[in-house]
Amino acid sequence: MIKKEMIAMLLAGGQGSRLGILTSKMAKPAVSFGGKYRIIDFPLSNCVNSGVDTVGVLTQYMPLRLNTHIGIGIPWDLDKNVGGVTVLPPYEKMEGTEWYTGTANAIYQNMAFMEQYNPDYVLILSGDHIYKMDYEAMLDFHKENGAECTIAVMPVPMEEAKRFGIMITDENRKITDFEEKPEHPRSNLASMGIYIFNWKTLKEALIVNAKQPSLDFGKHIIPYCHNQGAPLYAYEFNGYWKDVGTLTSYWEANMELIDIVPEFNLYEEYWKIYTNMSALPPEYFGPESDAERTIVGGGSEIYGKVYNSVIGCNCTIGEGTVIRDSIIMNGSVIGKNCRMEKVIMAEDAVVGDGCAFGEGEEVPNETDPSIYREGLVVIGDHAVIPNGISTGKNVLIAGNISAEDVPGGRLESGKTLVKEGD
């Protein structure tokens, strides 16, 4: 039997519904981030940089883009004969097919995958957070304390603690109690959803609780281990960590990359972020172009002016166009003499000449004000928008739009225009 000290199980099947149109055709971990990356690149790169060379990626919702991106793991040096990266979708069994119904249920359904490596430890990760973390240091902490389960925690402001699973610990960081989104929290150590289990402990907990509906780590596995007297410890992480689960947090995290001294640095030699990106020509800036505090991906051609923005790979921005505080994803084309402010433009979208997005009073979005907010204009992937269209703020626009779809050429603040099937 193959023997691995620690393997990782990366939960990447999330729909990410709070990202709205960005996840209508792909899982959240496949969404572009920081110009050239996808969200899943960060936990995968953490694994490689931490010496974890066996990773199971559990996919479910709209997996095509994610599976294509991961491939056989070459960019992360995970194309190995023994170990490497393996994509693990739900599959048909003799007794029927079952979707992954909870975080721990997904792990339970892949017991055979884990068993073949006979690991001492199993690292459980989420595929949709932006951070750099040395899992080897967390494993050292786990071993030193004789833990059977170690939960990564992060101090949060006390007034925000009620939004998280909270760990209560003693002076040695041994977990004495935990509360799920408590009204009156007794601690500010929030669970990051990153766990290291002794394989024997995890295996027993999964088997015993297998029949629980929507089997979940926070609701079922961690309480079971605690009730059985297993030593649980909290590993405190104080680095940058961002859950980009909403459009607002996604936009903010991208904007933080372009700070003069970014809190999250993509340029560190000792902790590289790897991605699946074919060889691209260099970016090109035309004679009338200008760019300040902007990330520009390879293969992009900039003829206009770009400020405080993140531009993906193979994008084209026309002459006279001015873009501010925006995220333009891979393969998008923007025509001449456009104005764009606080726009999130998904991949391979096309905007004609003379368009103006994000101008006007801020009005709540008519279809989903909890998602399309903070003045953002969101353009769906492969959208086509004709010349001369303007929009207000908190607007969603997607599909193959014609001039007839926008009477007067103006989509007011708070409006949604989605052409289905285009």
Side-chain angles (χ1 to χ4, degrees):
M1 182 182 284
I2 305 161
K3 177 69 179 171
K4 294 283 184 181
E5 183 184 26
M6 184 164 77
I7 65 172
M9 300 294 279
L10 182 51
L11 296 159
Q15 182 176 353
S17 56
R18 292 177 300 155
L19 284 177
I21 198 77
L22 299 187
T23 51
S24 65
K25 297 174 184 173
M26 72 178 86
K28 183 163 72 165
V31 172
S32 294
F33 183 85
K36 65 181 286 188
Y37 304 102
R38 296 190 185 275
I39 293 171
I40 198 170
D41 291 336
F42 295 87
L44 271 180
S45 297
N46 288 341
C47 285
V48 175
N49 292 329
S50 302
V52 180
D53 67 358
T54 303
V55 185
V57 180
L58 287 72
T59 63
Q60 178 157 288
Y61 172 80
M62 292 282 186
L64 179 60
R65 192 81 61 93
L66 190 61
N67 294 353
T68 303
H69 180 68
I70 294 170
I72 60 171
I74 292 173
W76 304 272
D77 193 26
L78 289 172
D79 54 326
K80 300 184 181 298
N81 291 330
V82 177
V85 67
T86 305
V87 175
L88 300 167
Y91 57 91
E92 192 168 1
K93 298 174 275 291
M94 288 290 286
E95 65 272 19
T97 301
E98 184 185 356
W99 290 107
Y100 297 150
T101 56
T103 54
N105 174 266
I107 302 297
Y108 171 73
Q109 289 199 46
N110 287 284
M111 291 272 280
F113 172 81
M114 294 182 285
E115 198 82 74
Q116 68 180 323
Y117 295 106
N118 189 26
D120 296 319
Y121 309 101
V122 177
L123 171 66
I124 309 293
L125 302 171
S126 172
D128 50 15
H129 298 145
I130 304 297
Y131 66 111
K132 297 176 185 175
M133 184 176 181
D134 186 351
Y135 305 133
E136 193 170 20
M138 183 176 172
L139 178 59
D140 290 342
F141 174 88
H142 179 87
K143 292 176 183 176
E144 287 163 8
N145 288 285
E148 292 188 28
C149 171
T150 296
I151 300 170
V153 297
M154 191 167 187
V156 297
M158 205 58 156
E159 60 272 18
E160 292 181 25
K162 63 176 68 175
R163 295 173 37 226
F164 299 92
I166 295 297
M167 305 294 133
I168 294 100
T169 69
D170 65 15
E171 65 278 7
N172 298 316
R173 284 287 184 250
K174 186 174 183 180
I175 295 170
T176 57
D177 202 1
F178 43 85
E179 305 167 318
E180 187 64 30
K181 299 182 179 176
E183 191 58 40
H184 303 289
R186 291 182 281 152
S187 161
N188 69 333
L189 295 177
S191 170
M192 298 169 66
I194 299 169
Y195 315 105
I196 291 178
F197 284 92
N198 291 2
W199 169 228
K200 182 180 175 184
T201 303
L202 177 61
K203 186 176 177 181
E204 178 195 311
L206 290 171
I207 291 170
V208 170
N209 292 280
K211 300 298 183 187
Q212 292 276 9
S214 301
L215 184 61
D216 182 81
F217 280 100
K219 292 177 186 170
H220 304 113
I221 300 302
I222 303 297
Y224 172 81
C225 293
H226 185 62
N227 293 336
Q228 294 299 114
L232 274 59
Y233 279 79
Y235 175 76
E236 186 171 330
F237 177 73
N238 287 291
Y240 181 96
W241 181 82
K242 195 90 167 186
D243 180 350
V244 288
T246 67
L247 281 174
T248 302
S249 64
Y250 173 80
W251 178 81
E252 286 173 350
N254 273 275
M255 293 300 104
E256 285 168 357
L257 296 176
I258 55 176
D259 286 344
I260 299 298
V261 181
E263 190 179 348
F264 188 73
N265 189 348
L266 292 174
Y267 306 101
E268 290 169 331
E269 273 296 312
Y270 76 95
W271 201 271
K272 291 182 179 178
I273 305 300
Y274 302 93
T275 189
N276 185 354
M277 184 59 65
S278 56
L280 293 170
E283 57 272 25
Y284 172 78
F285 290 85
E288 302 298 320
S289 67
D290 189 22
E292 290 179 9
R293 288 181 63 182
T294 292
I295 291 172
V296 180
S300 289
E301 299 180 15
I302 313 296
Y303 300 95
K305 295 175 170 58
V306 188
Y307 306 112
N308 305 321
S309 295
V310 175
I311 311 296
C313 300
N314 292 322
C315 295
T316 302
I317 295 171
E319 294 175 8
T321 288
V322 179
I323 297 174
R324 298 181 190 276
D325 305 320
S326 296
I327 303 166
I328 311 299
M329 296 189 199
N330 300 345
S332 290
V333 177
I334 300 169
K336 299 177 180 179
N337 301 314
C338 295
R339 299 189 305 276
M340 303 177 84
E341 186 165 345
K342 289 189 76 171
V343 173
I344 299 177
M345 186 169 172
E347 296 180 43
D348 299 309
V350 177
V351 169
D353 298 337
C355 293
F357 299 147
E359 298 179 351
E361 295 295 315
E362 201 166 320
V363 173
N365 181 264
E366 61 188 3
T367 51
D368 206 327
S370 66
I371 292 179
Y372 305 104
R373 51 195 288 265
E374 303 296 332
L376 292 168
V377 175
V378 182
I379 301 171
D381 65 314
H382 293 89
V384 178
I385 300 173
N387 298 343
I389 301 299
S390 69
T391 78
K393 302 176 187 290
N394 298 330
V395 166
L396 167 61
I397 186 164
N400 194 343
I401 308 300
S402 68
E404 290 73 35
D405 297 319
V406 190
R410 170 80 177 169
L411 202 61
E412 296 296 342
S413 292
K415 294 296 182 183
T416 294
L417 175 57
V418 177
K419 292 283 291 292
E420 300 287 350
D422 290 326

